[in-house]
Amino acid sequence: MSLAVIHSRALDGLSAAPVSVEVHLANGLPSFTLVGLAETEVKEARERVRAALQNSGLEFPHNKRITISLAPADLPKEGGRFDLPIALGLLAASGQIDAARLENLECAGELSLAGELRPVRGALAMGLALKHEGLARRLLLPPDSAAEAALVRDLPVYSAKHLLDIVAALVPGSEQALTPVGAAAAAAPALGGPDLREIRGQAGPKRALEIAAAGGLSLLLSGPPGTGKSMLAQRLPGLLPPLSEEEALESAAVLSLAGEFSPAAWGRRPFRAPHHSASSVALVGGGCQFQPLLRFNTNKRYSMRCSNAPTRIPGITSRPSRNLDSPAVTAST
């Protein structure tokens, strides 16, 4: 069979859009053509896949005219997440693995030159998208990424450390199975963090925090630098009720897209402290280039943080007051 179709997903903002990796082998002058609005790192998969196949003892169809299409063609593709689908497509099109076993499989992963699988961003978003679409497909990811996707309940997730582990389970007549990842990866909600009891004094602002947390109200902390605005705001998440499973998944999916997810932070309410020079537009964000914007804000937050920085979490904002004579913190709901 000279044509193979592998299912994968591309990150599109906060979602994971389905992508079909179509691999076609034809006679003619040897070439390797990749189409489908692919970024430079996706086009570089040609060399990574070629080296991974050869170093794994597999055959690369170097004497064929190779055409790879990433559909839909108008959806931008970035990262090394398509290395594994492209490699499996080449193996299926050349008859080295059973193409029928790939019909109910979605995969993503970056390949090293030795054939080892490396984790990719957005694994949890991929699992959520597959679960919401209700497709009867299995998800195949590198081990670290599979642990994230396994947080989605009732989703069949499989992992592999090396390309040869997948090939051994997909060759014609093989009885070896892929390694499943259990749902036990979903840890209990993380505890700890700043506590309101650690603050001495500040009775008025502390009471305002309790009222805002109980009623789900927005809160504005205003005062000169050093009066405790950020310190108070950092302790508000500890007053809020625990995240539901759906809310925890959505929060973890955003962190997974930015490559910042950690199982230790599962169930913990997010807290962000933007720089005081950030404009209203920068706080809200938006646009079509979400990933570069998210990386820019992350780098800026760590490199430009200072004691005069305002603090903002959903519904809560603190900023320095223009009146620098008063040492008190003013809280309003």
Side-chain angles (χ1 to χ4, degrees):
M1 182 178 182
S2 61
L3 177 65
V5 180
I6 312 298
H7 302 288
S8 185
R9 291 185 180 270
L11 300 183
D12 183 19
L14 295 177
S15 62
V19 173
S20 296
V21 181
E22 303 169 348
V23 180
H24 179 248
L25 303 182
N27 296 324
L29 292 177
S31 64
F32 191 106
T33 305
L34 195 152
V35 297
L37 203 59
E39 298 289 344
T40 303
E41 56 267 28
V42 180
K43 296 180 179 179
E44 292 173 348
R46 172 181 58 184
E47 305 304 330
R48 291 193 297 268
V49 171
R50 187 197 307 270
L53 292 180
Q54 293 177 347
N55 291 328
S56 300
L58 302 171
E59 180 182 353
F60 183 86
H62 56 82
N63 59 340
K64 296 290 185 179
R65 183 182 181 90
I66 304 172
T67 304
I68 299 176
S69 174
L70 306 180
D74 58 346
L75 178 66
K77 291 58 169 206
E78 51 86 22
R81 60 193 314 107
F82 297 105
D83 290 3
L84 179 59
I86 291 174
L88 294 180
L90 289 172
L91 294 174
S94 59
Q96 300 181 62
I97 61 175
D98 189 358
R101 300 190 180 189
L102 298 172
E103 295 179 356
N104 297 325
L105 191 68
E106 282 194 8
C107 59
E110 181 179 343
L111 285 175
S112 70
L113 299 185
E116 298 176 349
L117 269 66
R118 293 172 176 170
V120 294
R121 293 185 295 105
L124 191 53
M126 292 180 60
L128 287 174
L130 182 59
K131 178 68 177 297
H132 290 165
E133 293 177 8
L135 300 177
R137 292 177 183 168
R138 300 172 296 170
L139 192 58
L140 176 61
L141 297 168
D144 293 342
S145 300
E148 293 183 17
L151 293 173
V152 183
R153 290 184 181 272
D154 302 326
L155 180 68
V157 181
Y158 296 83
S159 68
K161 296 182 179 180
H162 198 277
L163 180 61
L164 289 177
D165 298 335
I166 304 175
V167 173
L170 297 178
V171 293
S174 174
E175 297 181 357
Q176 182 174 339
L178 297 171
T179 304
V181 179
L191 302 177
D195 197 311
L196 194 62
R197 293 178 298 180
E198 300 170 351
I199 300 179
R200 303 299 180 183
Q202 303 281 21
K206 288 167 66 175
R207 177 60 176 166
L209 288 175
E210 295 171 352
I211 296 175
L217 307 174
S218 299
L219 184 66
L220 175 65
L221 300 176
S222 178
T227 54
K229 302 182 301 299
S230 298
M231 179 179 62
L232 288 164
Q234 289 172 355
R235 284 151 178 80
L236 181 57
L239 299 177
L240 299 174
L243 290 174
S244 64
E245 183 177 359
E246 183 178 357
E247 292 172 338
L249 285 173
E250 292 179 357
S251 176
V254 175
L255 293 176
S256 177
L257 289 169
E260 299 179 0
F261 175 76
S262 171
W266 169 257
R268 181 178 298 171
R269 290 190 175 271
F271 178 83
R272 290 293 182 265
H275 194 257
H276 70 272
S277 64
S279 63
S280 300
V281 176
L283 288 175
V284 175
C288 59
Q289 299 295 329
F290 175 77
Q291 297 295 338
L293 176 65
L294 190 58
R295 288 195 293 267
F296 170 77
N297 287 341
T298 301
N299 295 334
K300 187 176 181 181
R301 183 172 71 249
Y302 286 108
S303 63
M304 300 182 62
R305 184 159 182 163
C306 67
S307 60
N308 195 26
T311 305
R312 184 180 188 272
I313 60 179
I316 304 163
T317 305
S318 67
R319 66 183 183 188
S321 172
R322 294 181 180 275
N323 183 11
L324 301 181
D325 297 332
S326 174
V329 174
T330 303
S332 59
T333 59

